[in-house]
Amino acid sequence: MTTGTAADPGPAPASAPPSLRDLKKEQTRVRLHTAAVLLALDKGVHEVTVEEVAAAAGVSPRTFFNYYATKEDALVGADPSRTELLRDAVLARPADEPPAVALRATLTEHVLGLEKDPELWRMRRELALRSPELAARIAGAGDRLESALVEAVYTRTGTDPATDLATGLTARTAMAALRAAFHQHRVAGFSGSLLDRLDAAFDAAGLAPAPDSSG
Amino acid sequence: MTTGTAADPGPAPASAPPSLRDLKKEQTRVRLHTAAVLLALDKGVHEVTVEEVAAAAGVSPRTFFNYYATKEDALVGADPSRTELLRDAVLARPADEPPAVALRATLTEHVLGLEKDPELWRMRRELALRSPELAARIAGAGDRLESALVEAVYTRTGTDPATDLATGLTARTAMAALRAAFHQHRVAGFSGSLLDRLDAAFDAAGLAPAPDSSG
DNA sequence: GAGCAAACTTGCAGTCACTGCAAAACAAGC
DNA sequence: GCTTGTTTTGCAGTGACTGCAAGTTTGCTC
């Protein structure tokens, strides 16, 4: 670790039990994100200041930037480690799976993760409603993840991105499906199941279904 | 017109001959963009200041913001009127064309437009090479355009975005194809034809080809 | 439990993007 | 040359974001 700040990737071994310290860091991160969303819902995205968010989360403004690189990152809960996690998840899928299957499985898991904390998810959806520019990122479908996934699938296939167009396109199409699904979900007032919509989007995009994600 | 600044959409009638004033504005816009790119190539994106760009373009810093809303917009040449233009282009395609065809034709035109000024295009490519985060936007494949195109195709079909997933997905897939094509182009050192790559990407994405764009 | 080292927080001082406003410079038409 | 509408500019301010150099806390070791 070279930075010496809270933004560190965390414990080195993947299986390490979260230390007390890491737990606290995670809590602070969530508190900052939650505070940002709440305040944004209350007074509008542009009216919220980092200072307020930090105060609401009980840390100094300076510390805010140890957790999120930008105010917007805090609003959408952009966690670099989450991006890394998803990239690793793609890489961890069985080697014989075609990219489309690995991506579909991974993004499906991802969406399941979004709904883990229902209350927070409710607030985030509301924010997406009021600030559509943030919608894609709130659904975890921003540029950064797209790039990470593209890189991941190329690593899987071991093909040359300069000649193999299809692999990267598949990753980008998968992200397009996620964005389309969330957009539909949003304009539909968040009725119905986002997961179903995502499934439909994957199908419509011609991305092969993951045969069975229970094993 | 309500804003009273240079960021105005321009003359109301589409066929109006560009007045001297409009010509000058366009020149200033290009000068700012060019200066921004040149400076960024010279010293790096983060090292360029708006003040420098404005000075290089021969305007005051304040005037800079009459032309571009953000520094990044100037770097990628984000022209709101261009987004509008593309949206209108999609709307102007024959009503009986399926969305995929209209999108493919429009984005193909768009890419042709990119290469209009070879020298500027060369610099922009170089910038994309050095600052990959900007690549998508440099190719004109950013969030804003994606949203605009999604909206445009839904307008064409007249369907309800809350129930019709396919239409929006098609637009997002088309953008994915553009991004994939440009990404490949970039990692391939900009050898070969971007247009060919885009064609291949559209084909791979299953977007029907535009039968004939000459008429 | 004292002591140590590494990790985390904070304050400070600074840079720079970006904004609203009102006055100046300017262009186009009469 | 004057009028009117547009564009440019200066000014003054807000707030995001950063590097740095203390503080403070945590986890470990003896």
Side-chain angles (χ1 to χ4, degrees):
Chain A
M1 308 188 190
T2 53
T3 64
T5 75
D8 284 356
S15 58
S19 74
L20 269 185
R21 213 171 231 171
D22 292 324
L23 231 51
K24 239 182 172 176
K25 282 208 309 192
E26 189 54 29
Q27 283 172 9
T28 302
R29 180 170 247 115
V30 172
R31 242 177 22 243
L32 279 168
H33 173 47
T34 309
V37 173
L38 270 174
L39 284 167
L41 286 179
D42 187 33
K43 24 192 319 194
V45 165
H46 297 300
E47 277 60 44
V48 189
T49 69
V50 167
E51 197 178 345
E52 289 171 324
V53 174
V59 297
S60 78
R62 189 63 186 81
T63 296
F64 174 95
F65 290 106
N66 286 342
Y67 285 88
Y68 292 102
T70 69
K71 181 177 116 179
E72 192 180 303
D73 277 1
L75 280 168
V76 302
D79 189 343
S81 76
R82 185 157 186 78
T83 302
E84 233 176 289
L85 208 79
L86 286 172
R87 196 202 50 197
D88 292 348
V90 168
L91 293 175
R93 298 288 309 179
D96 60 341
E97 270 185 3
V101 176
L103 285 162
R104 182 165 179 163
T106 301
L107 287 185
T108 301
E109 279 296 323
H110 169 227
V111 164
L112 277 171
L114 287 180
E115 296 170 333
K116 256 304 175 36
D117 181 338
E119 190 48 36
L120 181 55
W121 180 231
R122 218 178 49 76
M123 297 191 313
R124 287 163 55 119
R125 286 185 322 197
E126 196 62 31
L127 182 59
L129 217 51
R130 301 209 206 165
S131 304
E133 335 84 58
L134 296 181
R137 296 201 65 196
I138 286 179
D143 279 358
R144 299 217 254 287
L145 184 57
E146 179 158 324
S147 295
L149 293 191
V150 167
E151 188 202 312
V153 287
Y154 275 123
T155 301
R156 278 177 65 90
T157 59
T159 52
D160 180 3
T163 57
D164 172 19
L165 181 91
T167 298
L169 179 58
T170 301
R172 294 181 196 274
T173 303
M175 291 296 280
L178 175 53
R179 282 194 291 272
F182 186 70
H183 178 258
Q184 188 195 27
H185 197 45
R186 175 163 61 83
V187 298
F190 302 118
S191 65
S193 156
L194 173 56
L195 215 53
D196 287 349
R197 297 186 196 280
L198 181 62
D199 246 25
F202 279 141
D203 286 344
L207 297 177
D212 181 15
S213 58
S214 69
Chain B
M1 306 190 189
T2 55
T3 63
T5 75
D8 284 358
S15 57
S19 73
L20 269 184
R21 218 170 226 172
D22 292 325
L23 232 52
K24 239 185 174 174
K25 282 208 307 193
E26 188 53 28
Q27 282 172 9
T28 302
R29 192 182 286 281
V30 172
R31 243 179 18 243
L32 280 168
H33 173 47
T34 308
V37 173
L38 270 174
L39 285 166
L41 286 179
D42 187 35
K43 27 192 319 197
V45 165
H46 296 300
E47 276 59 45
V48 189
T49 68
V50 167
E51 198 178 344
E52 289 170 324
V53 174
V59 298
S60 78
R62 190 62 188 81
T63 297
F64 174 97
F65 291 104
N66 286 342
Y67 285 88
Y68 292 103
T70 70
K71 181 177 117 180
E72 195 181 301
D73 277 2
L75 280 167
V76 302
D79 189 343
S81 75
R82 185 157 187 78
T83 302
E84 233 176 291
L85 209 77
L86 287 171
R87 196 201 51 197
D88 292 349
V90 168
L91 293 176
R93 298 288 307 178
D96 59 342
E97 269 184 5
V101 176
L103 286 163
R104 182 165 179 165
T106 301
L107 288 185
T108 300
E109 279 297 322
H110 169 226
V111 165
L112 277 172
L114 287 180
E115 297 171 332
K116 254 311 175 30
D117 180 338
E119 190 48 35
L120 181 55
W121 180 230
R122 218 178 51 74
M123 298 192 313
R124 287 163 56 120
R125 286 184 322 199
E126 197 61 31
L127 182 60
L129 217 51
R130 301 208 205 163
S131 304
E133 335 84 58
L134 296 182
R137 296 201 65 197
I138 285 178
D143 279 358
R144 299 217 256 289
L145 184 57
E146 179 157 324
S147 296
L149 292 192
V150 167
E151 189 204 312
V153 286
Y154 276 122
T155 302
R156 278 178 64 90
T157 60
T159 53
D160 179 4
T163 56
D164 172 18
L165 181 90
T167 298
L169 180 57
T170 301
R172 294 180 196 276
T173 303
M175 290 295 281
L178 176 52
R179 281 194 292 271
F182 186 70
H183 178 259
Q184 189 195 27
H185 197 45
R186 175 164 60 82
V187 299
F190 303 118
S191 66
S193 156
L194 173 56
L195 215 53
D196 287 349
R197 296 186 197 281
L198 181 62
D199 245 27
F202 279 140
D203 286 344
L207 297 178
D212 180 15
S213 59
S214 67

